[in-house]
Amino acid sequence: MTIQQDVATSAPATLGSEGDDGIILTVVASFENIAAEHRDEFLESAQREAFLSLRDEEGTISYHIVPDQDDPTRVVFQATFTDEASYEQHRNNAPAQEFLEMVARNKIDGPNIYVNNFSIPNVNHPPRGI
């Protein structure tokens, strides 16, 4: 990996959060024991759920689907929401329910929730634009 000289020697650039006061709900969950014959369906369904969540749910900030490089039967999700109510809305929306039905139908373990907590606000950085 090449790092630009001017970036490597200067102080890191920082920005404050925009629109969330620096406090967001982060959820990290895994799905395990995804059989090879269900992997494509799982990934397609997960991508659909993530896309619809980002498009249709105002409180969904980000959504990442990360297949485990060392274990093809495991996939980790990392998502951020503006608040607990947005997360609950996400969990109860039709795309999430359809995804969870597919998970149950294919006997996939999950979601196994590892993190479900709010970030610590970064009060040392100015808001964007300052």
Side-chain angles (χ1 to χ4, degrees), residues 8-97:
T9 59
S10 64
T14 59
L15 291 173
S17 296
E18 185 173 324
D20 62 19
D21 297 327
I23 302 172
I24 57 174
L25 177 68
T26 299
V27 178
V28 178
S30 71
F31 294 86
E32 300 173 12
N33 297 317
I34 304 168
E37 64 268 19
H38 300 302
R39 185 173 169 80
D40 287 343
E41 179 186 10
F42 177 89
L43 292 173
E44 288 172 14
S45 182
Q47 288 174 323
R48 179 180 183 277
E49 183 202 5
F51 173 80
L52 293 174
S53 296
L54 288 165
R55 186 189 73 183
D56 299 338
E57 299 170 7
E58 187 176 319
T60 301
I61 298 170
S62 69
Y63 208 110
H64 303 277
I65 302 163
V66 186
D68 189 318
Q69 291 186 81
D70 299 323
D71 182 354
T73 71
R74 183 174 188 262
V75 176
V76 175
F77 287 16
Q78 188 273 326
T80 55
F81 303 90
T82 55
D83 54 28
E84 186 76 34
S86 295
Y87 175 54
E88 289 301 319
Q89 177 187 7
H90 163 76
R91 291 180 55 201
N92 293 316
N93 280 345
Q97 292 301 307

